[in-house]
């Protein structure tokens, strides 16, 4: 299949690994930002095939994992209301809140539904004016354009019974927060290709320059990742710190301007709390003033809910790359994909789930 088989060719992978061995003269630590990249690296064993000294640190790019616990609790509080139809992508249903999850709430009779597009939620609201339809808008810059379009569509239809619980986060401020951490070991980044397909890479250029780190926009197939790693190591060995684009088949410097325009029209940049990491300034999106009528947090008065993480979960250290899942005492025993204690074990993009499904043991 085009764009799949050609990016999984073992002979090319061996060539890239050989080139990497020849280029790398000293240890380097790179972070892949996206959970999808982590999943490919771990599932294919690429991180274990790299030449000695080249270490991959798994970053915070799993949107399910970084959605704050208190937002899950707010989702649960809204979904439990009898007048509400709560609509979400499927990966949020098993994310544990403080006392339960959306799937358990659904089993107890709450009207919780899974959709594949936020537009399905808009259509549902139009079809059921007797119900309050709330869409759980989670994700990075990748899902924000479609969610923005859903709000614009609901506004055009003047739907009074549609709203969104928004938890959008932005990648560049997270990279900056990681680099600002005093114990940061990351020397180069593989930026998430799909995020850059929307946003382009101009936001990364001042980061590369200020922190002197190479940033390579990278895809998700095994050869994408090997080539992205090789490009980053070449920069490090040459003393360069630039933004390069490995994912040229999908990403342009300015991204998708129509998608960016939709985001800018519907959302504004705000501070966000990242699960396991904490507050990061200007790292999220919230509904712009023109669209606050669609803000489910305001409509249902759940703004005051606060939550405390499970004491055993070290997700924060894992999401910032200072620990790996097998360092966690609960990994594979008390915490498994069937019994997750923290979000990184729930999502297929979560680092803990990726390690578990690849059979990695403590
Ligand atoms: S293994 Fe489970 S408890 Fe441990 S860090 Fe991962 S999600 Fe949290």
């Amino acid at each position: 299949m085009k764009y799949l088989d050609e990016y999984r060719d073992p002979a090319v992978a061996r060539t890239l690994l050989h080139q990497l061995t020849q280029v790398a003269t000293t240890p380097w630590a790179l972070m892949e930002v996206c959970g999808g990249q982590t999943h490919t690296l771990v599932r294919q064993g690429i991180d274990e095939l790299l030449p000695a000294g080249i270490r991959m640190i798994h970053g915070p790019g799993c949107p399910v994992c970084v959605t704050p616990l208190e937002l899950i609790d707010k989702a649960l509080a809204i979904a439990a209301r009898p007048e509400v139809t709560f609509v979400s992508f499927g990966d949020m249903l098993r994310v544990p809140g403080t006392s339960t999850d959306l799937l358990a709430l659904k089993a107890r009779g709450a009207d919780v539904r899974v959709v594949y597009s936020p537009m399905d939620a808009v259509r549902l609201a139009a079809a059921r004016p007797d119900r309050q339809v709330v869409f759980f808008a989670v994700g990075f810059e990748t899902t924000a354009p479609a969610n923005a379009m859903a709000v614009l569509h609901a506004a055009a239809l003047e739907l009074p019974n549609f709203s969104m619980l928004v938890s959008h986060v932005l990648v560049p401020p997270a990279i900056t927060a990681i680099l600002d951490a005093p114990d940061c070991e990351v020397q180069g980044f593989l930026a998430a290709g799909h995020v850059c397909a929307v946003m382009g890479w101009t936001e990364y250029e001042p980061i590369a320059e200020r922190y002197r780190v190479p940033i390579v926009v990278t895809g998700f197939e095994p050869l994408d990742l090997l080539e992205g790693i090789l490009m980053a190591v070449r920069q490090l060995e040459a003393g360069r710190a630039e933004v390069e684009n490995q994912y040229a088949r999908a990403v342009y410097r300015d991204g998708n301007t129509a998608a960016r325009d939709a985001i800018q029209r519907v959302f504004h940049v705000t501070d966000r709390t990242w699960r396991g990491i904490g507050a990061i300034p200007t790292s999220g999106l919230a509904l712009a003033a023109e669209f606050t009528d669609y803000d489910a947090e305001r409509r249902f008065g759940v703004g005051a809910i606060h939550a405390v993480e499970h004491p055993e979960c070290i997700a924060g250290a894992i999401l910032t790359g200072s620990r790996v899942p097998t360092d966690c005492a609960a990994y594979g025993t008390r915490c498994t994909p069937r019994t997750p204690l923290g979000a990184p074990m729930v999502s297929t993009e979560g680092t803990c789930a990726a390690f578990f499904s690849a059979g990695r043991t403590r």
Side-chain angles (χ1 to χ4, degrees):
M1 188 184 296
K2 188 162 176 61
Y3 294 142
L4 281 183
D5 293 341
E6 65 199 273
Y7 289 94
R8 297 177 178 179
D9 186 327
V12 181
R14 277 192 289 275
T15 302
L16 289 168
L17 280 165
H18 179 67
Q19 289 177 4
L20 205 45
T21 307
Q22 292 186 315
V23 167
T25 62
T26 187
W28 299 109
L30 306 176
M31 174 177 277
E32 85 281 2
V33 172
C34 174
Q37 294 169 328
T38 302
H39 197 71
T40 301
L41 284 173
V42 174
R43 188 182 63 213
Q44 306 288 340
I46 293 171
D47 54 337
E48 295 181 333
L49 286 172
L50 295 174
I54 296 183
R55 183 162 62 101
M56 297 308 297
I57 298 175
H58 310 302
C62 160
V64 174
C65 305
V66 299
T67 300
L69 181 59
E70 65 184 36
L71 215 90
I72 306 293
D73 284 352
K74 288 175 185 177
L76 290 162
I78 294 170
R81 295 172 72 112
E83 75 275 25
V84 167
T85 296
F86 195 86
V87 183
S88 171
F89 295 138
D91 52 2
M92 293 308 296
L93 262 61
R94 291 188 58 249
V95 179
T98 299
S99 59
T100 185
D101 59 44
L102 286 166
L103 197 62
L105 208 61
K106 180 178 172 65
R108 293 206 294 270
D111 189 0
V112 177
R113 304 190 191 187
V114 174
V115 292
Y116 293 99
S117 161
M119 292 302 290
D120 292 339
V122 177
R123 277 189 284 272
L124 191 59
R128 291 295 307 269
D130 57 317
R131 304 287 297 167
Q132 282 289 329
V133 177
V134 182
F135 181 71
F136 202 2
V138 170
F140 285 87
E141 294 94 327
T142 42
T143 51
N147 293 341
M149 291 307 296
V151 172
L152 291 171
H153 200 59
L157 294 174
E158 298 182 355
L159 292 177
N161 62 328
F162 175 82
S163 59
M164 255 184 196
L165 183 59
V166 178
S167 182
H168 276 299
V169 282
L170 303 170
V171 171
I175 289 182
T176 303
I178 288 165
L179 287 166
D180 280 334
D183 56 350
C184 174
E185 297 177 9
V186 182
Q187 295 163 297
F189 287 89
L190 306 187
H194 51 6
V195 168
C196 295
V198 174
M199 303 300 289
W201 67 76
T202 53
E203 295 173 290
Y204 298 85
E205 289 169 338
I207 299 174
E209 188 180 340
R210 177 177 163 201
Y211 293 93
R212 299 294 307 155
V213 286
I215 300 176
V216 180
V217 179
T218 303
F220 303 89
E221 291 298 322
L223 298 189
D224 288 325
L225 288 156
L226 280 168
E227 189 177 30
I229 293 166
L230 179 60
M231 290 166 74
V233 170
R234 276 198 175 121
Q235 283 202 48
L236 288 163
E237 290 282 343
R240 292 186 290 122
E242 301 163 9
V243 180
E244 291 183 312
N245 182 21
Q246 180 280 328
Y247 205 31
R249 66 188 186 278
V251 177
Y252 304 99
R253 186 168 184 270
D254 292 325
N256 180 329
T257 50
R260 290 173 64 175
D261 288 348
I263 294 173
Q264 278 168 12
R265 185 159 167 216
V266 172
F267 297 110
H268 72 92
V269 174
T270 185
D271 298 345
R272 275 266 175 233
T273 299
W274 294 51
R275 189 171 190 176
I277 298 176
I280 302 178
T282 66
S283 69
L285 298 173
L287 287 165
E290 186 187 343
F291 299 103
T292 49
D293 284 351
Y294 296 96
D295 184 348
E297 223 168 314
R298 287 164 66 120
R299 184 173 296 189
F300 298 100
V302 293
I305 290 179
H306 295 290
V308 179
E309 291 284 353
H310 193 286
E312 279 193 279
C313 185
I314 59 165
I318 288 168
L319 292 170
T320 51
S322 61
R323 309 277 288 276
V324 292
T326 45
D327 294 333
C328 174
Y331 172 82
T333 54
R334 291 177 298 287
C335 185
T336 70
R338 290 178 67 86
T339 56
L341 295 183
M345 191 56 98
V346 177
S347 167
T348 53
E349 290 191 9
T351 308
C352 299
F355 269 57
F356 190 87
S357 65
R360 304 250 171 121
T361 52
R362 296 186 67 210

